[in-house]
Amino acid sequence: MAIDDDVREIENAGNPKRFARGWHCLGLVDEFRDGRPHQVKAFGTSLVIFDTPEGLRALDGYCRHMGGNLANGTIKGDSVACPFHDWRWGGNGRCTGIPYAKRVPGVAKTRAWPAMERNGQFFVWHDPQRSQPTDTVTIPPIPGWDAGQWSSWSWQKFEVNGAHCREMVDNVVDMAHFFYVHMAFPHYFRNVFEGHVATQYMHSRPRPDIDPEKSYGDEDSILRSEASYYGPSYMINPQQLEIGGQILDAVLINSHYPVTDNSFIINFGVATKRQEGVTAEAARTVADSLTSALSYGFGQDLEIWRDKARIDNPLLTEQDGPVYQLRHWYEQFYVDIEDVTPSMTERIEVEIDTDHAVTSWKREVAENLLATRS
């Protein structure tokens, strides 16, 4: 049998075994501020998160004495105490006391992870080279957050098994999937990559041929979105929704952290800007409604990610967006700092012509509506 040399084969080099350098959001601050230590499985290991007078702290999850799980222990003063022998560990990683011992060994130190609280969320810094984070790669504050100008977070968490978190980052440039997965018409779509930031600008309308409960508005609504990844895993997405003559400002957080090289956790939430005459309860209700609509799309994403092939050589059209450029930008977080090249961080701008796609999609939606009515 002759071999067809024209057949396109899928290339798959496998998931990287190292984890990305950068800040990773582990969840809301309030999740960890309940007087107990918490276990978080991330980066192929286990962490313990606990509260101190100086704020939340993160340590390696297992006691350096005999391997007890610190998350099963208790918080005593400003330290987490191991349930096995009561060795106590401070937020800086040093052993602060061993009640039954005359002295603490000078080498009694565990790994303390660089940590930060921002926007009501808790972050840890990961780097295989153990570098310290700098201000040039920090997570920016959401304007007005600390001043109480936003509702509380409407927050959800998803676990994705059998996929690498690159699948999620690819969405930054994937214009077409917003129609098929997130039930929206993107009619403006542009990407800008520069430094450690990758941004997606999108204007869209909801699809009128879907269940209204899965949508963020009617077909006359307009969503203006500016979504920026700051580093490999944390996106801040300010959104302005025009619906029924009203304009609503919201912010979406779309973040993840790896559990293993083949699984990750998604943390995402929505907060709405407080408006004059709108109560905190009303603002939270709107945030919950947006979260419900967005979580439907995420659910669709999850089903695809869990059962798709990793593909390193995607076959693209000009309407598919700058996938290869985005992946080259993303590569900077998986190499040593000294191996980051200028081409990974230089400014790139790509705007997609959406006219043909929108025309085609309008025809498909009209056919769906006609079939529903008949």
Side-chain angles (χ1 to χ4, degrees), residues 71-123:
N72 293 333
T74 55
I75 297 176
K76 297 183 177 180
D78 60 358
S79 301
V80 59
C82 180
F84 202 176
H85 301 90
D86 204 26
W87 282 46
R88 302 174 187 184
W89 301 91
N92 63 0
R94 293 198 174 277
C95 182
T96 59
I98 308 169
Y100 66 86
K102 291 183 177 180
R103 66 180 185 87
V104 174
V107 295
K109 187 176 181 181
T110 188
R111 181 183 180 187
W113 292 64
M116 175 175 65
E117 296 177 25
R118 183 149 293 170
N119 302 327
Q121 297 142 25
F122 180 63
F123 299 80

Side-chain angles (χ1 to χ4, degrees), residues 171-341:
N171 281 3
V172 173
V173 296
D174 190 351
M175 184 274 294
H177 99 287
F178 282 95
F179 178 82
Y180 298 105
V181 177
H182 296 279
M183 306 303 168
F185 277 102
H187 55 88
Y188 175 79
F189 199 93
R190 182 167 72 100
N191 289 116
V192 178
F193 315 138
E194 187 170 22
H196 74 295
V197 181
T199 301
Q200 170 203 97
Y201 299 88
M202 181 174 66
H203 300 168
S204 65
R205 296 180 183 273
R207 284 178 56 171
D209 60 334
I210 63 168
D211 184 342
E213 292 186 0
K214 300 172 182 176
S215 178
Y216 52 82
D218 57 34
E219 60 183 308
D220 294 323
S221 303
I222 301 174
L223 182 66
R224 300 176 180 89
S225 167
E226 181 180 325
S228 296
Y229 266 103
Y230 294 92
S233 70
Y234 183 79
M235 172 190 284
I236 301 178
N237 181 192
Q239 301 182 346
Q240 186 178 79
L241 177 61
E242 186 175 335
I243 179 171
Q246 299 288 323
I247 293 180
L248 173 71
D249 289 308
V251 62
L252 165 69
I253 298 299
N254 184 357
S255 66
H256 64 268
Y257 63 85
V259 179
T260 68
D261 65 345
N262 200 39
S263 63
F264 59 98
I265 297 292
I266 298 173
N267 278 304
F268 96 95
V270 175
T272 54
K273 193 76 171 287
R274 298 193 191 280
Q275 296 175 314
E276 188 174 347
V278 178
T279 65
E281 291 77 14
R284 176 56 187 263
T285 298
V286 174
D288 288 345
S289 177
L290 277 171
T291 303
S292 177
L294 291 165
S295 65
Y296 172 77
F298 270 116
Q300 299 286 91
D301 275 328
L302 263 59
E303 291 305 313
I304 292 169
W305 294 333
R306 287 168 176 157
D307 203 32
K308 72 178 290 295
R310 178 186 172 95
I311 180 168
D312 295 335
N313 62 329
L315 181 61
L316 305 176
T317 74
E318 60 185 288
Q319 272 68 48
D320 280 311
V323 176
Y324 286 100
Q325 294 94 322
L326 174 72
R327 290 184 177 181
H328 190 55
W329 168 86
Y330 187 56
E331 186 182 355
Q332 67 179 288
F333 307 112
Y334 286 86
V335 299
D336 290 345
I337 294 176
E338 58 270 22
D339 294 329
V340 176
T341 64

